[in-house]
Amino acid sequence: MSRGDNILQHVDWPTILMFLGLVVFGWLNIYAAGYNYDQTSIFDFSIRAGKQFVWILTALFMGGAILIIDEKIYDVFAYIFYGVLIAVLFITPILAHEVKGSLSWITLGPISIQPAEFAKVITALAVAKYMGRYEYSLRSWRDMVVPFALIGVPMIIIMILQKETGSALVLASFLLVFYRKGMSRYVLWICVLAVTLFIIVIRFGQSSLPLGAGSVGLFVCLLIILAILLYFVHKNNRNPKYTLIILGSIVLIYAISLLFCIWFKINFNWVTLGIILALTGYMFFLTFYFRKWTLLFVILFTLLCLGYTQACDSVFHKILQPHQRTRIEVLLGMKVDSSGAGYNVNQARIAIGSGRFLGKGYLQGTQTKLKYVPEQDTDFIFCTVGEEWGFVGSLMVLLVYLCFILRLVTIAERQRNQFSQIYAYAVVSIFLFHLTINVGMVLGLLPVIGIPLPFFSYGGSSLWGFTLLLFILLKLDAVRVNQLQ
């Protein structure tokens, strides 16, 4: 009894109140998203709002059970949970029935469960278990192999075998956890660079330079790689004047090449590639002359960037699914498809815009009632908020989410052991990722990849997943007063 009283005394009630507020308001908006004049009750179990009510009750029961269960189970059995997860993820495509091209749903009697929704919880526990070891730190690339493998294995299974891109990409949010725990900022810059190169190649790969002198996309990518290589050359050069000589030589090469374009066509992509390879050779010389073996990583990074740039087009056209390619093309302005891939986003914008400042009122959304927005009670639930509650209501919802995430940050920072703190950072990163991507895709700022809005979107698997994620953290936080510093 005293242990139960202790939990109730130390549990973070502000977070629970925000959780309950988001769940209830989300439930009301699920009802509004599917509302028609024939419906009489929000508790009608034949409609999604009624079904969501059952999911909410089970989620609350689950949250209460987590607060009672001994917290040591999450640390002790983290790897076992992870092993079971990997096995389930492998089996899922065999047992699953296809839903919109995805093989991630398993039918268990009257309900369907998406195991990928629980991957983020169990992966967070496994990562926290490994990185929470005594004196562990992310000081070298070797230290990052296991954490990257822990998130990479389920990500690959979910993305390739289950064909569920959105759920897989959620695991990329763990990069924020690694960065917070000491990972080099260069890793984040590499990720940003990879996305940038991919977008440039896809968006401008088919555009030609003046006089047919190569591809605009490839030329810009090569210039970015050249600029990065020049930075490292300058950083590792003992005599700065050599950097100026190299820059002058590069400008001279481009000027001569441009001059020769008067008589015959020169592919500037090849010119830039030649300069990069020449500088790489120079770096190779510096490596052995000054015995700076770390420069080998710069050389390898440059060669990988070149290979990646060449492979982007093949990845886009041969690996991504047709609907995924179309969504990216619509987002990048390569294709106008107001009736196909761009339909959801266009209708979402119309719905949100029609709400104006104060909204049309609860259950009064015309775009919602007429079903103009597909998936309006799942991935696009924020449209209902925008139309019926307007700018003010949408802003209030986002402010509650902001307060919720900031509260989670506070909880993370006050943890007394590494396991709890790393898990808390993972929770913050996952919720932040979901919120950013969902709202971004509804507003047309990011591609539509099927990311639910936490506690708002209809679905038992997502609600259970988020509830597990949150209440495990609340349990770990509640017992921190009994832990040594």
Side-chain angles (χ1 to χ4, degrees), residues 172-347:
S173 63
F174 281 80
L175 289 174
L176 296 177
V177 182
F178 300 159
Y179 178 70
R180 180 63 182 84
K181 296 305 294 182
M183 182 182 72
S184 172
R185 65 182 184 276
Y186 286 123
V187 178
L188 288 181
W189 281 115
I190 289 173
C191 295
V192 173
L193 176 64
V195 174
T196 302
L197 294 178
F198 182 83
I199 291 175
I200 293 174
V201 168
I202 300 307
R203 178 63 181 87
F204 301 103
Q206 304 302 319
S207 302
S208 298
L209 290 168
L211 303 176
S215 164
V216 172
L218 185 57
F219 180 68
V220 172
C221 287
L222 291 174
L223 284 181
I224 293 174
I225 297 172
L226 177 59
I228 294 172
L229 188 56
L230 281 172
Y231 166 77
F232 283 107
V233 168
H234 173 70
K235 186 177 180 180
N236 291 278
N237 208 324
R238 294 189 174 184
N239 194 337
K241 71 178 182 180
Y242 288 147
T243 305
L244 295 177
I245 294 174
I246 292 172
L247 281 174
S249 301
I250 293 173
V251 172
L252 181 62
I253 291 171
Y254 278 121
I256 294 174
S257 300
L258 187 61
L259 181 63
F260 272 94
C261 282
I262 298 175
W263 296 283
F264 52 87
K265 183 168 64 176
I266 292 180
N267 192 319
F268 276 78
N269 294 338
W270 288 106
V271 173
T272 309
L273 180 61
I275 295 173
I276 291 174
L277 293 177
L279 281 177
T280 303
Y282 175 65
M283 291 289 280
F284 195 76
F285 166 76
L286 292 178
T287 299
F288 288 93
Y289 188 80
F290 294 109
R291 299 186 182 277
K292 292 185 176 182
W293 307 115
T294 55
L295 293 181
L296 288 174
F297 289 102
V298 178
I299 296 171
L300 178 61
F301 171 73
T302 303
L303 296 177
L304 288 175
C305 282
L306 292 175
Y308 173 80
T309 302
Q310 297 295 324
C312 281
D313 190 68
S314 297
V315 170
F316 182 73
H317 289 98
K318 296 180 180 180
I319 295 182
L320 294 183
Q321 298 295 318
H323 67 279
Q324 294 171 334
R325 292 198 299 270
T326 304
R327 287 172 179 174
I328 293 175
E329 288 171 342
V330 171
L331 179 70
L332 297 179
M334 301 168 62
K335 181 184 293 185
V336 177
D337 189 10
S338 58
S339 61
Y343 178 79
N344 285 25
V345 175
N346 289 333
Q347 293 301 323

Side-chain angles (χ1 to χ4, degrees), residues 82-114:
Y82 184 81
V84 173
L85 168 71
I86 297 302
V88 172
L89 291 178
F90 264 117
I91 295 172
T92 298
I94 301 173
L95 304 177
H97 58 281
E98 186 171 332
V99 178
K100 299 178 181 178
S102 171
L103 294 171
S104 61
W105 293 88
I106 298 178
T107 301
L108 300 173
I111 64 174
S112 294
I113 298 294
Q114 188 179 24

Side-chain angles (χ1 to χ4, degrees), residues 344-345 348 373-384 438 441-443 448 457:
N344 285 25
V345 175
V373 183
E375 311 296 339
Q376 59 188 11
D377 55 3
T378 53
D379 298 341
F380 284 80
I381 187 68
F382 195 70
C383 297
T384 305
N438 181 272
M441 72 182 191
V442 169
L443 297 178
V448 179
S457 296

